[in-house]
Amino acid sequence: MKVALIVLFLVVVGLFVVVEIGLRSLFGFGNPLIYIGDEQIGYLLAPNQRTRRFGNRIEINEYSMRGNPLKKTPASSDLRVLLLGDSIANGGWWTDQTNTISTMMMRSLASSTSNYQEVEVLNASANSWGPRNELAYLEKFSNFNAQAVVLLINTDDLFATAPTSLPIGRDRNYPDSKPPLALVEVWQRYILKQQPIPEIKAVQNEAGDRVGINLEAIAKIQALTRQSNSQFLLVMTPLLREVGEPGPRDYEIIARQRLNDFTKAQQINYIDFLAIFNSTTNPQGLYHDHIHLNLQGNKFVSEVMERSLLEILAEVPLPQSY
């Protein structure tokens, strides 16, 4: 009887170890990206992280960007572009480091121009950031001496609420520490019911002209960019349900028109991908889900953004070579 119990115990332990190793090596469970709160920005990806999720490599540098470590000031002969955005710019767990919009743009820009010794596209982004989060990041860290700043938003960002750190450590999608085991993460993320955060309702029900507040934040990002003699490009991708018929909902049409009028009044270089997606043969094939882009979508968007950036940067004097 004792032998049978020992054998059973060893089998259970062995199965546990196999499952734990499998969850870690195949899916990256047990090593999620963690977040930190910030009084102005709301929250950031914690700096200096590296993990793999579902086989996709993710690296976060010392400035909470998705990317490699960097020098704060580039060489005068280099081209540096700062991309600000949310999960679309970040790429999330479903996008390998080599396939993010910023990395694709960096590779393509490097091959498209011989005017610069080195090309960098920095990626300052986090899930569910809106214009006010991105403005606060720019105010805290500056634009890292980038010659161009690109703000990548989606339609929902026009209605984004004020920055808050409430989800950190309380929402399963924003952990503030590593779980002790991969099995624990699977249990917490997929089996346990998400506990509500009562205080978050006040943030979600923010009163006032939310679209106007976010347009004001975009105007401040543009102003900061101009103060540093950098170029500014605003880009907006649509939700999948906006593409084709019946198109955006009434409130979105109004917000979109406000944005169009705003960009003209502010003389902002602006790319609206709704019309561009509608002119493609299979826009649905560009999406990972209802809002995020897949590999093909990232490639498509990065190419259009690159062409626009090259046009904008052509108006800027070339760097001096030493």
Side-chain angles (χ1 to χ4, degrees):
M1 185 69 177
K2 284 185 178 180
V3 173
L5 288 174
I6 291 172
V7 170
L8 178 61
F9 174 77
L10 291 175
V11 169
V12 171
V13 170
L15 181 61
F16 175 89
V17 171
V18 169
V19 171
E20 177 71 18
I21 292 174
L23 289 173
R24 285 183 175 274
S25 59
L26 296 177
F27 305 105
F29 289 118
N31 187 28
L33 292 176
I34 60 173
Y35 290 78
I36 56 174
D38 184 274
E39 190 173 343
Q40 282 74 42
I41 301 171
Y43 54 87
L44 294 153
L45 283 158
N48 302 311
Q49 299 186 73
R50 180 178 295 181
T51 188
R52 280 187 181 271
R53 301 292 278 188
F54 297 89
N56 294 312
R57 183 170 56 91
I58 303 173
E59 293 184 21
I60 308 300
N61 70 15
E62 65 270 41
Y63 296 105
S64 296
M65 298 176 179
R66 183 161 189 185
N68 300 323
L70 73 145
K71 300 175 293 184
K72 186 145 189 186
T73 303
S76 59
S77 58
D78 295 347
L79 170 63
R80 177 172 282 183
V81 176
L82 173 62
L83 174 65
L84 293 166
D86 58 8
S87 52
I88 295 174
N90 185 274
W93 59 262
W94 59 91
T95 309
D96 188 80
Q97 197 82 5
T98 59
N99 296 325
T100 60
I101 290 174
S102 54
T103 303
M104 287 183 168
M105 285 177 61
M106 183 163 55
R107 287 197 303 263
S108 187
L109 282 168
S111 63
S112 298
T113 177
S114 59
N115 296 327
Y116 304 95
Q117 186 172 336
E118 184 179 348
V119 175
E120 295 177 293
V121 180
L122 314 182
N123 186 333
S125 58
N127 293 348
S128 298
W129 268 7
R132 283 178 275 181
N133 303 90
E134 291 138 1
L135 170 62
Y137 183 94
L138 194 60
E139 290 174 332
K140 180 169 184 171
F141 291 104
S142 80
N143 70 358
F144 298 89
N145 299 102
Q147 288 96 318
V149 174
V150 180
L151 177 61
L152 175 57
I153 64 173
N154 68 82
T155 310
D156 276 353
D157 291 335
L158 295 175
F159 310 94
T161 53
T164 178
S165 60
L166 285 173
I168 306 306
R170 302 171 71 183
D171 186 310
R172 66 184 67 180
N173 295 308
Y174 300 91
D176 60 356
S177 61
K178 306 282 187 183
L181 297 168
L183 282 163
V184 171
E185 184 185 355
V186 171
W187 174 263
Q188 293 173 338
R189 184 176 288 270
Y190 298 106
I191 300 174
L192 276 184
K193 184 179 179 181
Q194 172 68 55
Q195 294 300 310
I197 306 173
E199 307 97 308
I200 206 78
K201 289 184 178 180
V203 177
Q204 294 170 341
N205 295 329
E206 181 184 16
D209 179 13
R210 206 180 293 175
V211 174
I213 293 170
N214 285 307
L215 291 181
E216 182 181 352
I218 295 173
K220 290 179 179 178
I221 292 174
Q222 181 198 24
L224 288 173
T225 303
R226 283 182 171 174
Q227 286 174 18
S228 60
N229 296 316
S230 303
Q231 301 299 304
F232 181 56
L233 175 63
L234 175 64
V235 180
M236 187 166 78
T237 58
L239 309 175
L240 178 56
R241 63 168 173 74
E242 294 184 273
V243 181
E245 297 298 334
R249 294 169 179 167
D250 290 344
Y251 68 90
E252 291 166 339
I253 293 173
I254 295 171
R256 283 179 161 276
Q257 187 58 53
R258 290 183 65 181
L259 178 60
N260 281 326
D261 294 342
F262 165 79
T263 56
K264 290 175 182 176
Q266 294 289 123
Q267 297 182 319
I268 292 175
N269 295 299
Y270 172 51
I271 303 173
D272 181 0
F273 270 98
L274 179 57
I276 300 173
F277 281 6
N278 276 327
S279 67
T280 63
T281 54
N282 180 29
Q284 291 77 15
L286 302 173
Y287 283 83
H288 168 73
D289 54 27
H290 73 288
I291 186 170
H292 301 106
L293 303 172
N294 59 20
L295 175 60
Q296 190 61 33
N298 283 353
K299 186 174 185 294
F300 186 96
V301 166
S302 65
E303 288 174 351
V304 175
M305 290 166 58
E306 178 207 346
R307 289 196 296 269
S308 184
L309 271 176
L310 288 173
E311 291 176 6
I312 294 169
L313 292 168
E315 303 172 5
V316 180
L318 295 180
Q320 297 295 317
S321 298
Y322 298 98

